[in-house]
């Protein structure tokens, strides 16, 4: 089940299959969805955009570059009054690969992804029990 502050994101993969990424404080789960959805529906509803809770305690992040080869800079903004959190990196199957400690001193973290095989990965940031929207990271070689 989703917890308060979790996120739900639906995306269409390269084969045209819709996948749902559900993030909670315990991790990320990826589900293949049957059927089709018109793009207009995805854009209008919350299905096409990763959503956090509707309070002002949002955790924003962005991977640069995406896709990346050897290294990726993930910029983030922690909620007001928070100084530390965890960035959790997950495989395409929702298995947690690594956890990194982050703080608000610099507003970014550099990840060495040179040892990761090419593919789709997901990450989120957890701060004080709040889970950021799940972001997709593509690693190419």
């Amino acid at each position: 089940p989703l917890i308060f502050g979790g996120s739900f994101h639906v995306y269409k993969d390269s084969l045209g299959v819709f996948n749902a990424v559900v993030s909670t404080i315990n991790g990320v789960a990826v589900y293949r969805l049957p059927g089709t959805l018109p793009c207009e529906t995805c854009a209008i509803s919350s299905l096409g955009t990763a959503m956090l809770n509707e309070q002002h305690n949002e955790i924003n992040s962005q991977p640069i570059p995406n896709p990346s080869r050897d290294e990726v800079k993930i910029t983030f903004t922690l909620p007001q009054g928070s100084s530390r959190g965890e960035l959790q990196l997950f495989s395409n199957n929702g298995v947690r690969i690594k956890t990194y400690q982050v703080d608000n001193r610099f507003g970014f973290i550099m990840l060495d992804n040179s040892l990761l095989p090419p593919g789709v990965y997901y990450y989120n940031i957890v701060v004080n029990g709040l889970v950021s929207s799940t972001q997709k990271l593509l690693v190419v070689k």
Side-chain angles (χ1 to χ4, degrees), residues 57-75:
N57 289 335
E58 292 186 6
I59 306 165
N60 300 305
S61 69
Q62 179 69 39
I64 303 167
N66 194 19
S68 65
R69 290 188 188 279
D70 299 322
E71 178 173 80
V72 63
K73 178 180 184 178
I74 297 178
T75 61

Side-chain angles (χ1 to χ4, degrees), residues 7 9 21 23 28 49-51 59-63 66 74-75 88-90 120-125 132-138:
S7 70
H9 180 73
V21 179
S23 82
V28 173
T49 58
M51 302 289 286
I59 306 165
N60 300 305
S61 69
Q62 179 69 39
N66 194 19
I74 297 178
T75 61
Q88 300 174 342
L89 182 65
F90 299 90
V120 177
Y121 297 87
Y122 299 96
Y123 73 88
N124 59 31
I125 298 176
S132 72
S133 61
T134 300
Q135 300 295 319
K136 184 165 46 169
L137 174 64
L138 182 60

Side-chain angles (χ1 to χ4, degrees), residues 15-45:
L15 300 174
V17 176
F18 283 93
N19 295 280
V21 179
V22 179
S23 82
T24 69
I25 197 162
N26 296 319
V28 173
V30 180
Y31 301 97
R32 294 177 71 84
L33 302 176
T36 60
L37 291 173
C39 291
E40 298 78 39
T41 302
C42 293
I44 292 169
S45 73

Side-chain angles (χ1 to χ4, degrees), residues 102-123:
V102 296
D103 60 44
N104 60 6
R105 286 184 288 174
F106 301 108
F108 70 91
I109 184 170
M110 298 297 292
L111 299 184
D112 176 9
N113 57 16
S114 62
L115 299 178
L116 294 175
V120 177
Y121 297 87
Y122 299 96
Y123 73 88

